[in-house]
Amino acid sequence: MQITEIRPDELNPKEFIWEKVQEIADAVGDGTAVNALSGGVDSSTVTMLGHKALGPRLKTYFVNNGIMREGEPERVVSLFRSLGVHVELVDAQDEFFKALAGILDPEEKREAITQTFYKTVFGRLVKKSRARFLLQGTIYTDVEETVAGVKRQHNVLAQLGIDTKKRYGYTLLEPLIQLRKPAVRMVAKALGLPKEVWNRPPFPGPALVARVVGPVTREKIALVRKAQAIVEEELAGVKAFQCLAILHEDKVTGVRAGKREFGHQIEVRCWDSKDATTATPTRLPWSVLERLADRITSEVPGVVSVTYHVAKKPPSTIEAV
Ligand code: XMP
């Protein structure tokens, strides 16, 4: 890799912010830039850097792709509004579900999300805004995993030899590309973002699609969204790197109220990890697991089986897709 990492012990967040704000302002000149905010640490940090550099000449969009967690679009838009950043909510749910229809292969799902996001939806927004720059929160680990061929991160383009100017009509600016997550969190904190943002557990770009094995439908996303909300509620007090619910493709036989029910399986994963490159399942108390199983089988329609994942990464990965 050509990019040099800036490690947390080498990082001076205030200086870094000053430098990046200058770089963004210089690159964009008197033009305009756009960026997509998802509410994650990376895109939130980039939004604040861009806002500092460009003020209203940065147009920030929140693309509702239909695959986010419960209440996420509204929560993120109102948080940034309270920080003085105007965010436009774009409803692109139909386009994403159409692009995902019938796809089984994990990498193809990721590719469908990438294309829908960068070409269909963002291509249109950039054209409408007449911006020539796209600010994006790609971080060092995204590039590393994609280049190593572990998992294609949805936001890595340039390092795969994709010329965004030629293909999509805009130039990418990636101010966080030298940082891993812990360093990004330091910058986010120094930018004055609230703890709920800088301390937020990671959530993948392909969102709940990374948690549906097999074909993705609105109904399946709705199921895994409910299960994810329960996992987050029940495990809120657990010190873990990331906790997630996965919906399996295969159904299994269950029994409810004395009747056979051929139903869904949810797998719960909860990880201890430093930087996601390796990870170990959290040793959750049995009572916590039992409560999770009880709530998921009674609150998520059609779920008759709940399992807990115990294999390490590697050879597992954190997400299932
Ligand atoms: P894996 O599943 O590769 O995940 O062990 C490592 C970490 O990265 C997150 N992840 C993603 N993040 N875009 C992202 O921004 C993606 O395409 C993506 N895929 C996985 C995952 O949640 C975990 O924290």
Side-chain angles (χ1 to χ4, degrees), residues 196-211:
E196 63 181 281
V197 174
W198 60 254
N199 201 31
R200 203 178 97 129
F203 187 68
L208 296 171
V209 166
R211 302 184 179 169

Side-chain angles (χ1 to χ4, degrees), residues 227-248:
Q228 177 69 29
I230 295 170
V231 167
E232 285 183 20
E233 259 174 58
E234 289 300 321
L235 302 182
V238 173
K239 267 197 163 134
F241 178 78
Q242 198 170 356
C243 298
L244 45 129
I246 291 157
L247 175 64
H248 280 274

Side-chain angles (χ1 to χ4, degrees), residues 110 145 151 153-154 202 204-206 241-242 276 313 317-319:
R110 286 163 179 268
E145 290 223 330
K151 226 170 243 194
Q153 304 287 312
H154 74 291
F241 178 78
Q242 198 170 356
K313 172 181 179 178
T317 56
I318 288 179
E319 306 288 345

